[in-house]
Amino acid sequence: LCYHPIYKNWSPVDAQPLVVETNHGYVQSFSADCDQLTTLRVWGVDRNAPGAAALKIGLRDAASGQLIALERFGSAALPQPGWLEFSFEPIPASKGSAYLLEANTAGEQPAAFSLYRSPTDEYPIGALTENNAPLEGDLLFQFGCQAGFFHAK
């Protein structure tokens, strides 16, 4: 897989945590710069909170509003800071299309994970919002596309 964006100034030390709660949903917009979009991942950490709800990460087509993929992550999915990643059926003509990466909780309790955002605008093509209000920086995320012989017919 080929992953984008490639961050030049990102450091896990400088990243700022975002607790995903029922009243705090986050959306990162992005434009795929490759065809065969098939993977999403976000940088997160398990909060070790007893009774925490699952974290829901979704991919939505920004133009049509159609939900393309949805994954739930329980607290055992990531024991230390790292990528929460999921795959879906490749989107053949994804290059140049606008998408929304949505993060929210699957219950009444805060999510089991905190996600991270950059303190500066690392991905100028997209924007991060919290409950439809703009936030500084960007969610630390990447999307993956099949490359080379992986998508040859």
Side-chain angles (χ1 to χ4, degrees), residues 32-46:
D33 53 4
C34 52
D35 285 328
Q36 301 293 326
L37 176 64
T38 189
T39 302
L40 273 181
R41 62 187 187 178
V42 294
W43 189 261
V45 64
D46 188 339

Side-chain angles (χ1 to χ4, degrees), residues 31-152:
S31 177
D33 53 4
C34 52
D35 285 328
Q36 301 293 326
L37 176 64
T38 189
T39 302
L40 273 181
R41 62 187 187 178
V42 294
W43 189 261
V45 64
D46 188 339
R47 296 185 319 103
N48 292 316
L55 172 68
K56 292 192 313 187
I57 301 288
L59 174 65
R60 191 173 298 275
D61 182 296
S64 70
Q66 177 185 3
L67 184 64
I68 298 168
L70 180 66
E71 186 72 23
R72 293 172 189 252
F73 295 95
S75 63
L78 189 68
Q80 49 193 329
W83 292 113
L84 290 163
E85 182 170 334
F86 73 100
S87 298
F88 42 88
E89 284 297 314
I91 303 169
S94 53
K95 186 174 184 176
S97 296
Y99 297 97
L100 302 174
L101 185 163
E102 302 174 335
N104 52 45
T105 183
E108 294 299 315
Q109 299 297 320
F113 297 94
S114 288
L115 302 180
Y116 285 88
R117 70 179 174 105
S118 60
T120 59
D121 192 14
E122 291 290 325
Y123 183 69
I125 300 169
L128 175 63
T129 61
E130 175 184 16
N131 298 338
N132 298 317
L135 282 179
E136 286 285 320
D138 291 293
L139 196 63
L140 294 175
F141 79 103
Q142 289 185 314
F143 55 90
C145 297
Q146 290 180 347
F149 66 89
F150 290 110
H151 71 274

